[in-house]
Amino acid sequence: LLVIGAVLLSTIVSGLAAVAFLTLAAIDPSRGEIAIIAAGACAGFLVLNAPRASIFLGDAGSHFIGFLLAALSMQTVGGRDRFAEFTAVLLVLGVFLFELVFLVWARRRRGLSWWLGSDDHAAIRLQAAGLTTWSTDVVLWVCGAMLGIGAILMIRLDGLQLLPLGIAVAAFLVIAWRVLAGLMTPTEAE
């Protein structure tokens, strides 16, 4: 349910989900067909949902994508190294989970109920800072792809080889948090 909720809160679901599905296919090729089909569906949806969007996923679409991501992620964990697989799944879902934690923090900091809507989303903050819709999408998709590469490396590397990866991911998360926390929402800018 956490993953479904995190996907629902993200404002750029289809592109990030396509990246996540492709990463899951690379991590666990035995489930690659389902993940690649889902990635293709998300990418196909982007054609019609490109800025200025003409159709939208809505709750049902984002819930289904979140459910499918959660189901494929759970099936990925359970092999020889469960810690590495679990960490890899957290990285695959990293942008969605980061957005969820950041939104709750930002809303609580502003004295808002964390479950009510607001303009604290990462994409909205980036656009308020001057990025175009396309630029915002690309920035967040690249973040998802970078975390996806980290997830693939998490499965492939051992022992001390993981230390630089862990440091890089931690630094990436801290920098992203600080940058987003420093950006004003459209409401705060008024």
Side-chain angles (χ1 to χ4, degrees):
L1 289 175
L2 179 70
V3 174
I4 294 170
V7 170
L8 175 64
L9 288 174
S10 181
T11 54
I12 54 167
V13 171
S14 50
L16 281 174
V19 170
F21 283 126
L22 290 174
T23 305
L24 286 171
I27 290 173
D28 187 2
S30 68
R31 289 172 183 70
E33 291 176 1
I34 295 170
I36 289 172
I37 290 168
C42 289
F45 180 79
L46 281 175
V47 172
L48 296 174
N49 195 42
R52 306 251 339 131
S54 59
I55 63 171
F56 300 93
L57 278 176
D59 289 350
S62 61
H63 282 151
F64 177 71
I65 289 172
F67 171 78
L68 195 53
L69 278 170
L72 288 173
S73 295
M74 286 191 305
Q75 291 177 344
T76 300
V77 178
R80 62 176 173 75
D81 189 353
R82 291 183 182 190
F83 177 75
E85 292 167 349
F86 180 74
T87 305
V89 165
L90 288 179
L91 291 174
V92 169
L93 302 172
V95 175
F96 293 117
L97 297 176
F98 179 91
E99 172 94 343
L100 175 67
V101 172
F102 184 80
L103 282 173
V104 170
W105 173 82
R107 289 174 183 172
R108 297 290 298 173
R109 185 181 63 124
R110 290 175 58 198
L112 303 172
S113 299
W114 63 267
W115 60 87
L116 296 177
S118 71
D119 56 359
D120 290 305
H121 292 272
I124 295 171
R125 285 176 180 257
L126 291 171
Q127 289 173 11
L131 269 66
T132 66
T133 303
W134 272 112
S135 298
T136 300
D137 291 352
V138 170
V139 164
L140 293 173
W141 294 340
V142 167
C143 289
M146 288 172 51
L147 290 173
I149 291 167
I152 293 167
L153 290 173
M154 178 63 67
I155 298 297
R156 307 267 192 274
L157 300 176
D158 292 342
L160 287 177
Q161 295 173 324
L162 292 171
L163 185 60
L165 176 62
I167 292 170
V169 169
F172 176 74
L173 293 174
V174 168
I175 291 168
W177 189 281
R178 295 196 68 159
V179 166
L180 286 175
L183 297 177
M184 291 194 298
T185 66
T187 304
E188 292 173 326
E190 293 176 348

